[in-house]
Amino acid sequence: MAPTFDGGQNGNLKRNDSAASIFEIGESDLSRLLEKPRAVNIERKRSFDERSISELSISSPPRNFYKNNENSSRVFESFGSIHSGVSTPRSFHCVETHPIVADAWVALQRSIVHFRGQPVGTIAALDHSSEELNYDQVFVRDFVPSALAFLMNGEPEIVKNFLLKTLRLQSWEKKVDNFTLGAGVMPASFKVLHDPVRNSETIIADFGECAIGRVAPVDSGFWWIILLRAYTKSTGDTSLAELPECQRGIRLIMTLCLSEGFDTFPTLLCADGCSMIDRRMGVYGYPIEIQALFFMALRCALLLLKQDEEGKACAEVISKRLHALSYHMRNYFWLDIKQLNDIYRYKTEEYSHTAVNKFNVMPDSLPDWVFDFMPTRGGYFIGNVSPARMDFRWFCLGNCVAILSSLATPDQASAIMDLIESRWDELVGEMPLKICYPAMESHEWRIVTGCDPKNTSWSYHNGGSWPVLIWL
């Protein structure tokens, strides 16, 4: 159980071990993270684990609130945030009825999708100003932050319905042209179609056959397992996870990811565009986002699997993979000032078991920007590591999930947060939160993205701002 911290007088923190977070931290010791000396003296806003659920300001307003108050901003007293001298957020106070919270709940309620009278998810976007491809569908990855809000607000029904509906979609036959996908693949998204003539509703799912680039979503299965764990931990209801269908679904996802092949690394080999970055962005190989989600899903699956014959066999394989994966990621994906200097002095063409430069990375391939970007205190998991290639870009989602899942050690987790503070202007700036840094420009953008007009510099996946990442 991860300890929580309550705010005491004069901003002091009081330890409270009685409450549990939705995700158990496991290997991390939060008290160590809070007590470590910091490079920058900043008064911080307390994290999720430091605050009780009642302080999160997400409770939905009374049912008659919007009927009686047309303009919610007139009846609430709001408190503006105060910024310190280094442009990082200082603690600010908000009450449970802050107008922005009320507006958020209105938007969330409007986005709910129903299937045969039951809520089954939320659509990707509410903007109907133009017909934007598949934004009117329920995406597995997009629903997760909405699901956590519903769980913390005591509304688990929609989350349970979503988990069961996507599980049933997993059993569908999945084909791209004449090729059949693995049985464990979860859909990227689904849509409810209404037939007013027949007065019926049907669901259509996208497993990658309709997606841009026709790439199957590797992350969907991981998010599904993580959300199932969150539902179980939040509600205390283990009956859903123990259903034979759920147990089979978990095992199918694990079998798909843990199957033997030609890999010499414990990381998961992926194509470009198989996750949140669903367009060509040079993340093929072993992207940090997938590896962090993979690690977290493995840990969640280990807790969800029943101790029967099939469950124990699967758990044994998971345990071995977790050990190898954590070692690989913490040693080969991690970059700080010391590691950067070591790479700069790498010898190449080493052929032996004792080789230091195990991936034969050329020191001349180090980009100039990384030397200015790396602070003396801080570090992060780089975007990709594969033979003769290191992608030194910062990816927000992968690093945040690494902390949340304890893939990062306590020291590494602290270093990631130090990096964010030190490079606040670059990673957050005026409009949080950049999905990656830096953006690709000019010739590099043309070569890597194929001249993608959506992913021009500092737009969309190419260094664009994604406020949804704030939940992490």
Side-chain angles (χ1 to χ4, degrees), residues 423-461:
R423 298 293 177 258
W424 188 268
D425 288 340
E426 291 87 348
L427 302 180
V428 181
E430 297 296 325
M431 178 61 173
L433 192 60
K434 289 185 178 63
I435 190 171
C436 70
Y437 180 89
M440 293 179 290
E441 299 178 299
S442 61
H443 181 66
E444 185 184 20
W445 165 78
R446 288 192 291 271
I447 296 299
V448 176
T449 72
C451 301
D452 187 350
K454 258 193 150 181
N455 276 332
T456 53
S457 300
W458 308 111
S459 302
Y460 205 36
H461 301 127

Side-chain angles (χ1 to χ4, degrees), residues 216-462:
V218 177
D219 63 336
S220 288
F222 299 153
W223 282 123
W224 185 86
I225 291 175
I226 292 166
L227 185 57
L228 178 60
R229 169 63 180 158
Y231 171 87
T232 304
K233 188 73 185 294
S234 175
T235 63
D237 175 20
T238 60
S239 61
L240 177 61
E242 290 175 352
L243 288 174
E245 298 91 337
C246 282
Q247 291 291 307
R248 181 176 180 273
I250 295 170
R251 290 196 303 272
L252 283 174
I253 296 170
M254 292 293 101
T255 300
L256 192 66
C257 301
L258 300 172
S259 57
E260 296 179 351
F262 290 99
D263 292 310
T264 54
F265 313 132
T267 41
L268 203 61
L269 182 63
C270 302
D272 227 339
C274 65
S275 57
M276 180 181 178
I277 298 177
D278 58 359
R279 302 171 75 86
R280 181 176 162 189
M281 271 285 291
V283 296
Y284 60 88
Y286 305 91
I288 178 60
E289 176 183 335
I290 291 297
Q291 312 315 319
L293 287 171
F294 183 31
F295 181 86
M296 190 168 186
L298 289 174
R299 290 197 65 192
C300 290
L302 206 56
L303 295 167
L304 293 168
L305 285 168
K306 294 175 69 174
Q307 293 301 303
D308 52 18
E309 185 177 351
E310 290 178 307
K312 285 181 178 179
C314 188
E316 185 178 348
V317 179
I318 290 172
S319 297
K320 291 179 180 178
R321 189 60 166 266
L322 275 171
H323 180 72
L325 182 61
S326 60
Y327 177 85
H328 183 91
M329 297 297 297
R330 291 166 184 171
N331 285 276
Y332 303 130
F333 272 69
W334 181 253
L335 186 71
D336 54 21
I337 193 69
K338 179 184 179 301
Q339 182 67 4
L340 186 59
N341 284 323
D342 290 343
I343 296 172
Y344 186 71
R345 292 170 174 82
Y346 268 169
K347 295 179 180 179
T348 59
E349 310 302 330
E350 294 179 291
Y351 181 81
S352 73
H353 292 290
T354 59
V356 176
N357 187 0
K358 294 182 184 294
F359 300 94
N360 199 35
V361 175
M362 305 298 165
D364 288 342
S365 68
L366 281 165
D368 293 336
W369 64 264
V370 75
F371 294 96
D372 296 324
F373 179 69
M374 181 61 69
T376 53
R377 286 180 60 89
Y380 64 104
F381 291 100
I382 63 175
N384 219 313
V385 176
S386 56
R389 176 182 177 234
M390 281 185 168
D391 183 351
F392 291 94
R393 284 177 294 175
W394 153 272
F395 289 89
C396 180
L397 181 58
N399 277 274
C400 288
V401 173
I403 296 175
L404 188 64
S405 64
S406 292
L407 171 59
T409 65
D411 286 341
Q412 288 173 337
S414 182
I416 292 170
M417 301 311 294
D418 283 338
L419 176 92
I420 294 174
E421 288 179 349
S422 299
R423 298 293 177 258
W424 188 268
D425 288 340
E426 291 87 348
L427 302 180
V428 181
E430 297 296 325
M431 178 61 173
L433 192 60
K434 289 185 178 63
I435 190 171
C436 70
Y437 180 89
M440 293 179 290
E441 299 178 299
S442 61
H443 181 66
E444 185 184 20
W445 165 78
R446 288 192 291 271
I447 296 299
V448 176
T449 72
C451 301
D452 187 350
K454 258 193 150 181
N455 276 332
T456 53
S457 300
W458 308 111
S459 302
Y460 205 36
H461 301 127
N462 190 13

